[in-house]
Amino acid sequence: RNYNSCNHRYEITFERDAQIVETADEVKIESVKFNFTDLRTVQSKQLPLRVDLCGIVSEFRTMTTVKSREGKELLKRDITIVDDTATSMDVTLWGEKAQTPDSSFEGQPLIGLKGILVKEWNGGRSGNILESGAIVFKPDAPEAERIQRWWSQGGASQSVTSLRGAGGTGTGRTATHCSIAEM
């Protein structure tokens, strides 16, 4: 299990001579198997950690392009999710996942995120969806139903604790926001 990123004890390996044959059975196989962790629990876990998250997309930003240290252009989109623990966290979507149309994030949809790597950033916690991760809108899970019910029964207007850090100047000094006239 130490070398396996899936959350299961067993792994299947196919050799070159393996044969895969379609069957006529009508078996429902989940396309993505989640093991959701709520955001309040994420707040207290030792970092870095990998989790599956379920929440409401409370904010999203348009896709942008950033350059890596190697000079490669990367597609990026930031979203903020909130769950029924009244906690929110920023998650960055990369590559193809960042290209998900804006319309998919409009209207504060319920979302399941598989394989989120959570790290410390600017004194807070934020997540990145890895290449092996998955995005599922309206996941079919008891946690998803509970979160959707919470949101529609008043969670949308509840005050939320953000895991976002305070940011900073990188110099160890605290910055006070003010207008130019106040300076």
Side-chain angles (χ1 to χ4, degrees):
R1 278 181 81 149
N2 292 342
Y3 307 104
N4 188 334
S5 65
C6 67
N7 201 9
H8 202 276
R9 294 186 296 182
Y10 304 103
E11 183 175 297
I12 298 174
T13 305
F14 294 100
E15 300 295 328
R16 283 189 203 150
D17 59 343
Q19 294 182 2
I20 301 171
V21 180
E22 183 178 355
T23 66
D25 293 347
E26 290 290 328
V27 178
K28 182 183 177 199
I29 299 175
E30 297 175 11
S31 60
V32 179
K33 178 74 173 159
F34 289 104
N35 184 18
F36 290 123
T37 303
D38 67 68
L39 292 172
R40 185 173 290 152
T41 301
V42 168
Q43 183 177 21
S44 61
K45 293 275 190 182
Q46 185 173 347
L47 298 178
L49 80 138
R50 189 178 298 214
V51 293
D52 299 344
L53 299 174
C54 185
I56 301 291
V57 178
S58 60
E59 296 177 44
F60 71 95
R61 286 161 256 339
T62 58
M63 183 182 66
T64 60
T65 304
V66 296
K67 279 203 183 217
S68 70
R69 292 180 190 152
E70 296 81 32
K72 186 178 176 185
E73 286 198 354
L74 303 171
L75 300 174
K76 170 187 173 183
R77 176 193 297 273
D78 292 316
I79 64 172
T80 302
I81 65 167
V82 60
D83 71 9
D84 59 340
T85 63
T87 307
S88 71
M89 186 174 82
D90 294 339
V91 177
T92 302
L93 313 178
W94 295 97
E96 285 183 27
K97 293 169 183 71
Q99 293 179 13
T100 304
D102 286 356
S103 59
S104 297
F105 297 104
E106 292 171 352
Q108 300 175 321
L110 180 66
I111 192 169
L113 300 166
K114 175 95 181 147
I116 301 298
L117 180 62
V118 180
K119 292 184 174 181
E120 186 274 331
W121 176 252
N122 282 339
R125 291 175 182 232
S126 65
N128 287 281
I129 190 161
L130 304 175
E131 195 66 34
S132 60
I135 300 173
V136 176
F137 289 91
K138 296 182 184 173
D140 184 19
E143 297 91 342
E145 292 173 18
R146 188 185 70 232
I147 290 167
Q148 186 67 63
R149 191 170 41 253
W150 166 80
W151 186 255
S152 61
Q153 293 177 352
S157 59
Q158 192 172 345
S159 68
V160 172
T161 301
S162 175
L163 299 184
R164 183 181 300 149
T169 60
T171 59
R173 291 180 277 168
T174 57
T176 304
H177 295 280
C178 61
S179 68
I180 293 175
E182 292 172 322
M183 293 172 73

